Amino acid sequence: MTRYPKSGKGKQWTTRELAAVPAAWKGDTLSDGGGLSGEVRVAADGRVSVRFKFAFRWDGRLCWYQCGTWPGVDLAEIRRNRDAARLQVAQGINPAQAKEAARIEKQRAIAETLAANEQERQERLTVADLFTAWLADGVNRKDGNEGLRRYYGKDIAPRLGALARIFHACSQRRAQRGIAARI
């Protein structure tokens, strides 16, 4: 059943009117005008929320753009989302597809950041990190590699502690020179 605000059909709902929506209206549609309508939902604890969506025509079909759920999103923000979607439709852009493309682009940027962070972490591995990885994956002696750990801790690690930092600085300079030579 489609319901309208007290001010009449074609008018907008107020926050006070939405707060007074009873749980018995679950599943009903609230018409807010301008192609914006909301579906009344009721949570398990009895809280009422309204999911607003904007209706528009795209390629001759009726499509929907999700504008937000009240009370999580302010009613004015929901209407701004509707207005932005309406503007996109007027410009020949499907707002639902544009929203999906923006989400995918954001995920791609996050994945690139994580990959760059992992690459930098790999470049900054110390000799101790490499030794630990080698013990875990590369060698398996009868004594559980205790002899190797003891030898590394007693003889190698004390001498290579500062050398690992120097090695990293040298490899960074070499990489920069390589990039500079290619430019």
Side-chain angles (χ1 to χ4, degrees):
M1 171 182 222
T2 302
R3 299 184 183 268
Y4 302 96
K6 289 182 180 179
S7 55
K9 189 173 182 178
K11 304 294 182 181
Q12 295 181 338
W13 286 84
T14 64
T15 304
R16 183 169 282 176
E17 288 174 328
L18 287 177
V21 169
W25 287 10
K26 178 180 180 180
D28 288 355
T29 300
L30 305 181
S31 177
D32 195 56
L36 187 64
S37 61
E39 177 190 354
V40 178
R41 295 175 161 200
V42 179
D45 62 358
R47 286 182 296 131
V48 174
S49 64
V50 181
R51 186 182 75 171
F52 283 95
K53 53 191 175 181
F54 169 63
F56 63 97
R57 290 241 172 242
W58 193 260
D59 290 335
R61 293 185 3 220
L62 180 66
C63 296
W64 298 97
Y65 176 77
Q66 305 301 325
C67 295
T69 301
W70 180 89
V73 180
D74 184 46
L75 202 49
E77 179 68 22
I78 290 170
R79 290 183 181 128
R80 279 193 295 273
N81 291 343
R82 185 252 340 252
D83 294 341
R86 183 184 289 158
L87 181 64
Q88 286 180 326
V89 170
Q91 294 171 346
I93 300 169
N94 184 330
Q97 291 175 347
K99 186 177 186 179
E100 178 71 12
R103 185 186 63 79
I104 290 170
E105 190 59 38
K106 188 185 280 187
Q107 285 179 339
R108 183 177 295 133
I110 290 170
E112 288 173 2
T113 301
L114 290 174
N117 188 23
E118 178 62 21
Q119 177 67 27
E120 183 178 325
R121 190 188 71 75
Q122 288 291 329
E123 290 173 358
R124 291 190 175 270
L125 287 176
T126 64
V127 174
D129 295 334
L130 295 173
F131 179 74
T132 304
W134 178 65
L135 286 180
D137 300 329
V139 65
N140 188 13
R141 295 196 174 178
K142 288 181 184 178
D143 65 349
N145 299 331
E146 284 303 316
L148 290 173
R149 282 192 188 93
R150 187 173 42 253
Y151 178 68
Y152 175 79
K154 181 180 174 190
D155 297 326
I156 298 173
R159 297 172 196 260
L160 290 182
L163 187 60
R165 289 190 203 102
I166 293 170
F167 176 74
H168 178 67
C170 290
S171 67
Q172 288 290 9
R173 271 189 248 124
R174 243 185 279 132
Q176 288 173 352
R177 273 186 274 152
I179 292 171
R182 286 184 236 142
I183 293 178

